[in-house]
Amino acid sequence: MPPVPHLATALTGPLHELESRILAAQPQIEHWFRSQWHAHATPFYGSVDLRNSGFKLAPVDMNLFPGGHNNLNPEFLPLAVQAAQSAVDKVCPEARSILLIPENHTRNTFYLQNVATLVHIFEQAGLKVRLGSLNPEIAEPTELVAANGDKLTLEPLERRGNRLVLADGFNPCVILLNNDLSGGIPDALQNLEQTLLPPLHAGWAVRRKTNHFQAYDKVCDDFAKLISIDPWTINPYFASCGGLDFHARTGEEQLAETVSQMLEKIRVKYREYGIDNDPFVIVKADAGTYGMGVMSVKSPDEVIGLNRKARNKMSVVKEGLEVSEVIVQEGVYTFETVNEAVAEPVVYMMDRYVIGGFYRVHTGRGIDENLNAPGMHFVPLSFETACLPDRKGLPDCAPNRFYAYGVISRLALLAASLELEATDPDAE
């Protein structure tokens, strides 16, 4: 079994109280989730970055096109296979095959290992899986080798009428995107007859983190009433700031004012809970992923007069997406460590089920910094008994810690469901 991470702070105070309440209310929580999933469609899959400060346990990012399935504990493959069957049954019960469209960056062999893991999960679920590429460089079937030696064949996509197919006529009813569309929505994906998952408006070409956290606000308020907690203990404050041009230094004053207001709001809560740490915020692009366009800030002065390197870092994210809007999010310290290196849990879900997770660990980053950066590595979460709680155990024993992670992550998944409903361009 992988190691159970060490929480560097004594688990007393609000988080211990939170975990205790989650355990005590487990039957009500599971019933509440079931009722929510009757009312709202579950995202096909997702991963959630959590931060655990000892006084707060909160999601800081929700990814609807998760990479990194190769970092999950292989002992829990059966969970992923069952979840995959459930997810596919909902959209196409008669499905025998699936077309998987990965990211274009085919030179990242660890990402290819993630794709190979997804292929394995769906094959185990009884589906024939083939890989179609949006990359114009893939003009014929191309064999690629993942970091662990797994071989994958990428094939060029063809549009025939309102369907996406492969050259030999492979024509499934389900197309699964593992490509977050940061570079825009290709014409080939528009107006398809086939079921496309996740939907196009989940991609970073149109999705905004502020929409997600608005939905999460509502979910948190409802959940906090259910188990009688302060929603702040599971919810980071946030604000949006637009009209920015980091190269031209346009909007700096407005950004500094937003940072100032957010820091003061956090200070009030820290005083209420007797927390001695300095508040900080994370300023990050409102669209995009891969830890790009992110800075940790403890004073509004830090966003005024950024040097050229910092402006370059903040102005463009993946696929050259220009940054004009940011989310200013309450920073949540991570006081968890693996082998004395700073760590944050990342929990993976498919359909409405937790299928595993890992710790993102970074030996070169601090407790108040973004860990999704070059130099990070991964340690699988040692989920025990399939992330079910030990209701006779202490609140912070491993099964109960990971159950609490699963609950908070599913709250973020539910928020993603509400977010996608609210932003659906075809909704009446």
Side-chain angles (χ1 to χ4, degrees):
M1 267 287 186
V4 175
H6 171 65
L7 189 63
T9 53
L11 251 194
T12 55
L15 188 58
H16 199 284
E17 174 72 11
L18 169 65
E19 291 183 329
S20 299
R21 284 185 183 272
I22 286 175
L23 279 181
Q26 189 237 352
Q28 296 97 303
I29 289 170
E30 296 305 327
H31 176 266
W32 181 80
F33 270 123
R34 282 202 310 277
S35 66
Q36 296 299 315
W37 295 129
H38 284 309
H40 305 286
T42 327
F44 188 87
Y45 56 4
S47 65
V48 179
D49 294 0
L50 298 175
R51 302 277 286 202
N52 183 350
S53 66
F55 54 83
K56 183 164 187 152
L57 174 61
V60 294
D61 258 322
M62 170 84 221
N63 187 355
L64 293 173
F65 300 85
H69 288 87
N70 51 303
N71 297 312
L72 302 180
N73 187 339
E75 288 180 31
F76 292 94
L77 178 68
L79 285 180
V81 171
Q82 288 176 334
Q85 289 171 329
S86 172
V88 172
D89 281 349
K90 284 182 179 176
V91 293
C92 187
E94 67 279 6
R96 295 183 178 183
S97 53
I98 192 167
L99 179 61
L100 177 59
I101 301 179
E103 294 279 3
N104 289 351
H105 48 255
T106 54
R107 292 181 184 84
N108 183 336
T109 58
F110 291 102
Y111 172 72
L112 293 176
Q113 201 173 325
N114 155 72
V115 176
T117 303
L118 280 172
V119 170
H120 182 57
I121 288 168
F122 288 108
E123 286 178 343
Q124 292 279 307
L127 295 159
K128 181 173 178 58
V129 189
R130 287 173 69 180
L131 304 177
S133 178
L134 293 166
N135 188 341
E137 295 174 13
I138 303 292
E140 59 184 9
T142 304
E143 187 177 275
L144 301 171
V145 182
N148 64 344
D150 283 349
K151 292 179 179 175
L152 301 167
T153 301
L154 233 54
E155 302 180 62
L157 291 164
E158 293 184 15
R159 177 83 180 228
R160 295 184 191 167
N162 286 337
R163 299 185 75 85
L164 267 189
V165 301
L166 298 179
D168 62 0
F170 182 74
N171 186 357
C173 67
V174 178
I175 298 171
L176 179 62
L177 287 173
N178 197 240
N179 180 315
D180 64 23
L181 306 178
S182 290
I185 299 173
D187 290 341
L189 298 181
Q190 306 270 15
N191 305 311
L192 290 172
E193 288 175 4
Q194 294 139 301
T195 299
L196 184 68
L197 297 166
L200 292 178
H201 66 285
W204 286 124
V206 290
R207 187 181 178 220
R208 296 294 177 266
K209 294 173 185 175
T210 42
N211 288 334
H212 174 76
F213 283 99
Q214 280 169 359
Y216 187 71
D217 277 350
K218 180 186 182 310
V219 168
C220 270
D221 288 346
D222 292 347
F223 182 77
K225 288 185 184 117
L226 179 75
I227 68 167
S228 303
I229 58 167
D230 177 353
W232 177 78
T233 60
I234 57 171
N235 190 3
Y237 289 141
F238 76 94
S240 60
C241 188
L244 295 168
D245 183 330
F246 283 98
H247 280 308
R249 294 187 163 161
T250 305
E252 277 187 352
E253 300 292 338
Q254 179 193 350
L255 178 58
E257 179 58 27
T258 306
V259 168
S260 178
Q261 291 171 0
M262 182 65 63
L263 288 169
E264 184 50 38
K265 200 173 173 184
I266 303 165
R267 255 182 226 108
V268 169
K269 271 297 185 188
Y270 277 21
R271 283 196 292 269
E272 180 185 334
Y273 280 96
I275 295 161
D276 292 334
N277 303 88
D278 293 330
F280 71 102
V281 297
I282 299 291
V283 178
K284 55 189 171 185
D286 204 7
T289 183
Y290 281 80
M292 301 172 77
V294 180
M295 61 190 296
S296 177
V297 176
K298 288 188 174 177
S299 162
D301 298 341
E302 292 175 43
V303 299
I304 300 285
L306 292 173
N307 63 31
R308 180 178 297 171
K309 182 179 177 184
R311 293 202 309 277
N312 288 342
K313 176 185 162 189
M314 291 301 296
S315 62
V316 178
V317 291
K318 186 181 162 211
E319 303 277 2
L321 196 62
E322 298 249 340
V323 176
S324 61
E325 305 162 88
V326 296
I327 179 171
V328 179
Q329 187 180 61
E330 174 188 350
V332 181
Y333 284 94
T334 179
F335 289 134
E336 287 189 291
T337 58
V338 172
N339 297 329
E340 299 183 7
V342 178
E344 66 184 8
V346 185
V347 174
Y348 276 59
M349 292 156 293
M350 193 173 288
D351 194 47
R352 59 184 184 176
Y353 305 104
V354 173
I355 61 168
F358 52 80
Y359 271 87
R360 181 182 286 124
V361 183
H362 205 304
T363 55
R365 291 286 172 113
I367 57 176
D368 57 356
E369 292 184 286
N370 169 45
L371 304 188
N372 189 359
M376 62 186 168
H377 66 277
F378 307 100
V379 177
L381 286 180
S382 54
F383 280 118
E384 297 176 21
T385 60
C387 204
L388 295 174
D390 175 3
R391 298 192 65 207
K392 294 180 180 176
L394 294 171
D396 59 343
C397 72
N400 294 339
R401 170 74 50 75
F402 297 142
Y403 177 70
Y405 288 170
V407 168
I408 303 304
S409 298
R410 285 182 288 159
L411 293 179
L413 188 72
L414 177 56
S417 179
L418 301 183
E419 170 200 358
L420 291 178
E421 286 174 14
T423 56
D424 185 350
D426 297 326
E428 296 181 0

